[in-house]
Amino acid sequence: MAKPWYREKPKPYEEMRREVEDAYPELRFIDDGNRIILQGWYLLHEGSQVWDRYLIEVTLPTDSPRGFSIVREVGGRIPCIADRHVYDNGVACVALEDAFWFEYPNGLSLLEFLNGPLRSYFASQSLIEMGETEPWPAGEWAHGAEGIFQFYSNALSIKDPLVILDFLKLLERDEVKGHWPCPCKSGEKLRKCHGDSLYKLRSRIPKDVAARSRVRFQKR
Amino acid sequence: MTENEYLEAILLQQTLAPGSPELKELQEREEEVKSLLRSKFGTARIREAGSKRKGTMVKASYDLDLTCYFPHDDNSAGETLKEIFEGIEAALREKYVTSPKGSAIRVWDGTGKTDFHIDVVPGRFVDGNDGDVFLYRSSGDKERLKTNLDVHIDHVRDSGVLDAIRLTKLWRERNGGNVKTFALELLVIKLLEKKKNEALSEQLRHVWEQFKEDGENLTIEDPANPSGNDLSELLNDGIRFWLSSTATNTLDAIEQSGWDAVFGEVESDKSQRVEALRRITVATPIRTKPWGNG
């Protein structure tokens, strides 16, 4: 098994650590031997005014400094239910991974992730607690397989779930040929039909992410 | 607003936001003193060691501690601990106003523009492991003590009672107490050892009840050297009396007038908070749509 990036490249890791600790002095890095976790108070502030705070635990991705971090709210404040965008095991569903990689194919640095998606996610959670309606300004994906359907349906402009499943299978493949028939059943070759959309998805969404979505979608 | 919502609101008021003027000043001063020490003592290992690293900063009390430790076999700053202490103080005096405070040298900028101060703690590592250190003591019976700053910091950071420590520090400030932060931290951690999962209001009540009822018998020990360092001078009779009498007054005040009498009123404007949180949700440079594993 490959070594985690932070063990392979201690210098960039130290730089990242300093950058994050300067910006978030109430978060600290903990190395438990197997993984690195960022733990402590995540502050929602505007200028000097702190409006709210959440006790969080962020497990750093092992594959890349710009990978997808796993976040948990560990203060017991947010219930672990889909309506609050939290998995049963406490992991925050900050984003649909497929959509995340499609939008940010180079990933995000830890600081970008903390300053961006996480900030918006927790501020929205505070608004929900205060009884506010429409707390998610960027919108939200439907739960489970329905959210996966929404994303690929938008990206491919296709409404048929079985066709989307065929496209998901192509996302997992090592190679896709332009002369293959397009899964949308138009009778056209892929290159003359959904080829561009498929290529864009393949170039951005990692195969393992697409494979997980396909399995979940298949159960739908 | 419940007691614990009130205390959470007080903690938010007392939290230093990243990029706030207070933190910027702290960082600027830290860099200034560090670079002066580095220019004079190239072999010293200089680190931040105060409430910022421990995670116990509150707006009312957030001064800076820096350690300046030399390798165990390095005599460049002096052969004895006393010489190291005096050498560092002399170097700092070229730019700042200084005065010895126990094992530390207290540093002010001397311009009168700010009352902000920094405590610089000189020392020498016991061996090549860069862990335990010998510190010089400018007052007290012993001239040196052996301790370990990383152990102190971990002891506080991993205590699980950081919010109680923060509020107890604020309580000290609001009541003009001069009990040392280190002693207060050790007391709170010890008294709450079996109460980590209790509500913050109950934790504070317990701490004050112990101060009130058992003030004479309170003891603390250095987590880095439990039997070697006598910390009794940090809890002298005057300090014990202050802890006991102030805790008594505080508990009475809560009974009679509620928690506002301890930490003051909280500005609670829901619409202002909602507006701010809405601004935060849209102002973030990178946003994602959340999903749910339904």
Side-chain angles (χ1 to χ4, degrees):
Chain A
M1 208 167 103
K3 263 188 177 179
W5 73 268
Y6 38 76
R7 306 249 189 266
E8 290 280 355
K9 297 172 180 171
K11 204 174 166 194
Y13 166 67
E14 280 307 319
E15 281 167 13
M16 180 197 78
R17 181 180 167 147
R18 266 197 299 277
E19 180 184 62
V20 169
E21 283 180 340
D22 279 349
Y24 291 91
E26 304 223 1
L27 291 175
R28 65 169 171 148
F29 286 79
I30 297 169
D31 186 343
D32 74 359
N34 298 318
R35 59 202 177 140
I36 289 178
I37 297 168
L38 187 63
Q39 210 175 55
W41 288 107
Y42 179 80
L43 305 179
L44 288 171
H45 67 97
E46 211 185 24
S48 297
Q49 176 78 48
V50 180
W51 292 104
D52 212 341
R53 59 177 196 160
Y54 285 86
L55 200 55
I56 64 162
E57 193 179 273
V58 181
T59 306
L60 264 59
T62 53
D63 55 346
S64 148
R66 301 183 72 83
F68 197 78
S69 299
I70 297 167
V71 182
R72 284 186 173 82
E73 187 270 318
V74 292
R77 195 168 144 183
I78 308 174
C80 299
I81 53 172
D83 281 350
R84 292 293 291 271
H85 299 292
V86 183
Y87 283 116
D88 297 345
N89 62 6
V91 172
C93 303
V94 179
L96 175 65
E97 242 189 297
D98 311 60
F100 173 84
W101 288 111
F102 187 71
E103 193 137 358
Y104 307 106
N106 296 322
L108 297 174
S109 72
L110 183 58
L111 192 59
E112 286 170 334
F113 182 71
L114 293 170
N115 287 341
L118 217 57
R119 195 164 147 79
S120 167
Y121 177 84
F122 281 118
S124 295
Q125 294 287 358
S126 298
L127 289 170
I128 294 171
E129 271 184 10
M130 294 172 83
E132 292 298 301
T133 54
E134 297 180 24
W136 307 99
E140 52 191 316
W141 297 110
H143 304 323
E146 190 57 33
I148 297 170
F149 171 76
Q150 276 180 351
F151 167 70
Y152 285 103
S153 178
N154 289 347
L156 293 161
S157 303
I158 287 170
K159 302 285 177 209
D160 184 344
L162 290 175
V163 173
I164 287 176
L165 187 60
D166 287 338
F167 273 102
L168 278 167
K169 287 174 186 166
L170 290 184
L171 289 180
E172 285 177 63
R173 292 188 72 112
D174 286 336
E175 205 177 19
V176 172
K177 302 282 188 189
H179 63 269
W180 289 357
C182 187
C184 77
K185 300 188 178 83
S186 62
E188 294 282 356
K189 287 178 181 171
L190 201 45
R191 73 165 70 95
K192 290 190 172 175
C193 195
H194 282 89
D196 287 348
S197 303
L198 181 68
Y199 173 73
K200 200 171 168 186
L201 287 166
R202 276 175 60 83
S203 66
R204 294 174 176 218
I205 299 172
K207 287 190 180 65
D208 60 323
V209 173
R212 281 199 295 276
S213 290
R214 196 254 309 148
V215 170
R216 188 182 292 273
F217 197 69
Q218 228 158 2
K219 289 181 186 165
R220 182 179 185 249
Chain B
M1 191 182 267
T2 66
E3 287 180 348
N4 287 298
E5 284 169 351
Y6 166 82
L7 293 174
E8 176 67 18
I10 292 291
L11 283 165
L12 288 180
Q13 276 184 2
Q14 285 295 322
T15 301
L16 288 159
S20 62
E22 294 97 333
L23 269 187
K24 274 186 189 160
E25 184 183 6
L26 192 77
Q27 274 157 354
E28 280 167 18
R29 302 275 164 180
E30 181 179 342
E31 281 314 310
E32 204 178 280
V33 175
K34 272 182 176 174
S35 64
L36 172 71
L37 290 171
R38 280 196 198 106
S39 70
K40 303 273 182 187
F41 308 101
T43 54
R45 192 167 162 202
I46 302 155
R47 292 172 71 190
E48 200 277 320
S51 56
K52 190 174 156 204
R53 257 188 90 195
K54 291 179 188 166
T56 58
M57 272 196 299
V58 285
K59 275 184 189 168
S61 171
Y62 64 95
D63 288 329
L64 183 68
D65 292 344
L66 285 178
T67 58
C68 181
Y69 295 161
F70 292 85
H72 69 111
D73 53 358
D74 181 352
N75 290 331
S76 61
E79 282 195 21
T80 64
L81 289 169
K82 188 168 188 269
E83 284 171 3
I84 292 175
F85 190 94
E86 289 171 351
I88 291 179
E89 186 175 13
L92 290 166
R93 217 182 295 125
E94 288 177 16
K95 190 168 179 185
Y96 302 101
V97 176
T98 67
S99 73
K101 287 266 174 192
S103 295
I105 300 158
R106 183 151 290 186
V107 177
W108 292 271
D109 72 357
T111 62
K113 286 179 193 162
T114 171
D115 58 0
F116 187 86
H117 67 254
I118 295 171
D119 284 340
V120 177
V121 183
R124 176 185 271 150
F125 287 111
V126 169
D127 51 33
N129 292 328
D130 289 5
D132 290 352
V133 285
F134 288 123
L135 305 181
Y136 172 70
R137 290 183 107 176
S138 60
S139 58
D141 298 338
K142 285 181 172 177
E143 203 176 67
R144 79 169 193 188
L145 62 86
K146 184 181 163 189
T147 193
N148 185 318
L149 203 81
D150 288 331
V151 173
H152 288 178
I153 288 167
D154 289 347
H155 184 70
V156 176
R157 288 201 77 149
D158 298 339
S159 65
V161 292
L162 291 180
D163 282 345
I165 291 174
R166 281 173 167 157
L167 287 173
T168 315
K169 279 173 70 179
L170 180 61
W171 169 76
R172 176 194 62 189
E173 295 303 312
R174 293 279 158 90
N175 289 284
N178 60 4
V179 51
K180 293 269 184 211
T181 299
F182 184 43
L184 204 55
E185 289 166 347
L186 293 178
L187 279 172
V188 172
I189 292 168
K190 188 174 177 183
L191 293 173
L192 296 180
E193 203 175 354
K194 292 178 181 164
K195 294 188 177 292
K196 290 181 184 176
N197 295 323
E198 291 201 3
L200 194 49
S201 56
E202 291 309 311
Q203 290 181 337
L204 291 176
R205 274 201 183 90
H206 178 74
V207 168
W208 290 325
E209 272 158 16
Q210 293 301 303
F211 286 176
K212 176 187 170 183
E213 288 162 16
D214 208 23
E216 287 177 16
N217 301 314
L218 296 170
T219 56
I220 49 173
E221 53 189 35
D222 184 344
N225 191 358
S227 55
N229 289 337
D230 179 12
L231 301 182
S232 57
E233 71 175 71
L234 298 180
L235 285 182
N236 60 30
D237 289 348
I239 297 287
R240 284 173 194 280
F241 176 75
W242 183 88
L243 287 171
S244 172
S245 58
T246 312
T248 305
N249 294 341
T250 299
L251 290 166
D252 289 347
I254 294 171
E255 187 71 27
Q256 287 163 18
S257 317
W259 284 84
D260 285 7
V262 183
F263 295 117
E265 285 182 13
V266 167
E267 288 169 25
S268 173
D269 184 341
K270 189 188 166 190
S271 61
Q272 202 186 0
R273 188 160 176 253
V274 167
E275 278 170 29
L277 288 164
R278 284 209 181 278
R279 282 195 300 273
I280 289 172
T281 59
V282 295
T284 49
I286 301 164
R287 282 183 287 168
T288 52
K289 281 160 81 168
W291 177 60
N293 182 28

